[in-house]
Each structure stands twice: as C-alpha cells, then as structure tokens.
Amino acid sequence: MNVTPVGEWGPWIVGGAWLAVGGRKVDLLYRSIEQVTAVIDACRNGEISMHYQPGHPHGFCSAIWMGEIALCRVLHDPGGLVAAMKARTAPYAPALRDALVRRFQWEILFAIENAELAVPRGDTTHVAGCAYRALACVAQVLFALNGQYLINEKGALAQAANFPVTVRDLAARVAEVWLRIGAADYAAALQALRMLESELRDKSAEP
C-alpha cells in the first residue's frame, strides 16, 4: 500500500491511496474540512469553478466536494463535523442549480460548433473530444435540473437517462452519436447532438 503525501494528486483530488479491502477496491481520498466547508458555502451562493484534473477528462467541478458530503455514508464522526456539513447540502440549493445550468448549458452548443469546424480539417480527435465535452455538459445540466449531485462523470449519462427530468431516449441517442462517430459519419453525429442540445434547452426553460 502506498499512501501519498497531502497534495500529491493536485489541489482537488489532493491525495490518498488505491486500496483493496476484503477483495474490494476502495479509494482513500483526503479532504480538508475547512476547504470543503468553504466550497459548500460558495456552491450555496451559486459560485462554482472548473479545474483541470488528470482522471477527470471533463474537468473537476468544485461542486463535486459538496456532492461527496451530500452522498456519503458517515462511518465515524465523533465531533459531528461531517454531519454539520451534510445538513447544509439538503435541500439542493436553487442558486447551485442555476449556476450549473448557466455554466454548462451554453457550452454544449459551443462544443458542437467547434466539432463542426474540425470536420473539414479531418481532425477526428478534436471532433470526438468536442462531442465528449458536449455530452459531459448535458450530464451536468440534467443533474442540476433534477437537484442531483454529480460527483463523477463516469456513468453520469446512464444515470441521467433515468431522471424524472431528462431527454427522451437519452442512452440510445448517446450510443448513436458514438456509433456515427466510429463510422466517420460526423455530420449525422453532430446533428444528433444538436437535437439533444435543443431539447435540453427547452427542458431548462421550463418552470
């Protein structure tokens, strides 16, 4: 077992270890109570930030820390510190919802348009990267609209497909986008993304 120094994995993952406990994979991650408390305060005020982070190709959204507290199961908290933070994560703050939608909604179309510019250049890596970025932003918006915390982009779209507020046939349509990209049918893939973006924008505008 190799436990890292504090800060070795960057300012947002911080550090920790990858463990095997009873034959199960367990991630140990450090968090600062003071820093997480400050992030919760910011999120409740509608202040979020995005950061480059290896292992998170979409980036690390500061609201992840608030989501970790909201979703965690407390095993040992003799001083009640985690419980006090957890109490501030529910109900889901409207200001956080609005900030996430505002931050990520516009970027969906922006990413699609950048992909379209890359198609004539034959820059297929950039096309795929922009498509991923657009879909990751779709997940962010859907989680926010449903008052759900997104703590990892892995599996986020599959989860969002089952939310009360979602885009019809989301999982199948996402699969179709990647099928089209794999077949080098970029026009069809990006048109499918444009339709997703339009329908999601309509969802966001609903009261």
Side-chain angles (χ1 to χ4, degrees):
M1 178 179 71
N2 181 26
V3 180
T4 74
V6 173
E8 185 167 308
W9 289 350
W12 290 94
I13 299 297
V14 186
W18 293 330
L19 310 175
V21 179
R24 300 184 64 179
K25 292 182 178 180
V26 176
D27 290 352
L28 169 67
L29 298 174
Y30 305 144
R31 295 290 182 262
S32 159
I33 289 172
E34 293 79 11
Q35 290 177 334
V36 172
T37 298
V39 164
I40 290 173
D41 289 340
C43 288
R44 285 168 56 88
N45 289 326
E47 301 166 12
I48 58 169
S49 56
M50 281 291 286
H51 306 270
Y52 172 79
Q53 177 62 53
H56 287 260
H58 174 54
F60 195 99
C61 182
S62 59
I64 288 174
W65 280 2
M66 186 173 185
E68 289 174 342
I69 293 295
L71 299 175
C72 75
R73 293 176 58 190
V74 180
L75 302 179
H76 183 68
D77 185 28
L81 297 174
V82 176
M85 289 190 291
K86 197 175 184 67
R88 303 185 67 234
T89 67
Y92 191 96
L96 176 59
R97 171 198 182 276
D98 294 345
L100 288 165
V101 172
R102 185 168 56 249
R103 171 65 180 80
F104 293 107
Q105 179 81 67
W106 73 271
E107 193 178 344
I108 302 169
L109 183 57
F110 184 74
I112 296 167
E113 290 173 341
N114 272 281
E116 289 169 342
L117 291 173
V119 171
R121 301 195 304 267
D123 192 346
T124 56
T125 299
H126 194 68
V127 172
C130 289
Y132 173 82
R133 186 73 190 183
L135 289 169
C137 291
V138 166
Q140 287 280 8
V141 172
L142 284 172
F143 270 72
L145 292 177
N146 285 276
Q148 299 291 322
Y149 291 102
L150 195 162
I151 63 171
N152 197 310
E153 63 264 44
K154 288 181 260 186
L157 283 167
Q159 188 177 346
N162 296 312
F163 284 158
V165 179
T166 191
V167 178
R168 61 180 177 81
D169 301 324
L170 177 61
R173 293 167 73 182
V174 169
E176 180 68 16
V177 168
W178 291 115
L179 182 66
R180 295 294 184 183
I181 287 177
D185 190 355
Y186 303 118
L190 297 176
Q191 180 58 30
L193 278 173
R194 276 187 170 272
M195 292 177 66
L196 276 175
E197 187 277 334
S198 178
E199 291 178 31
L200 180 58
R201 191 158 18 96
D202 290 342
K203 293 282 184 184
S204 300
E206 292 175 2

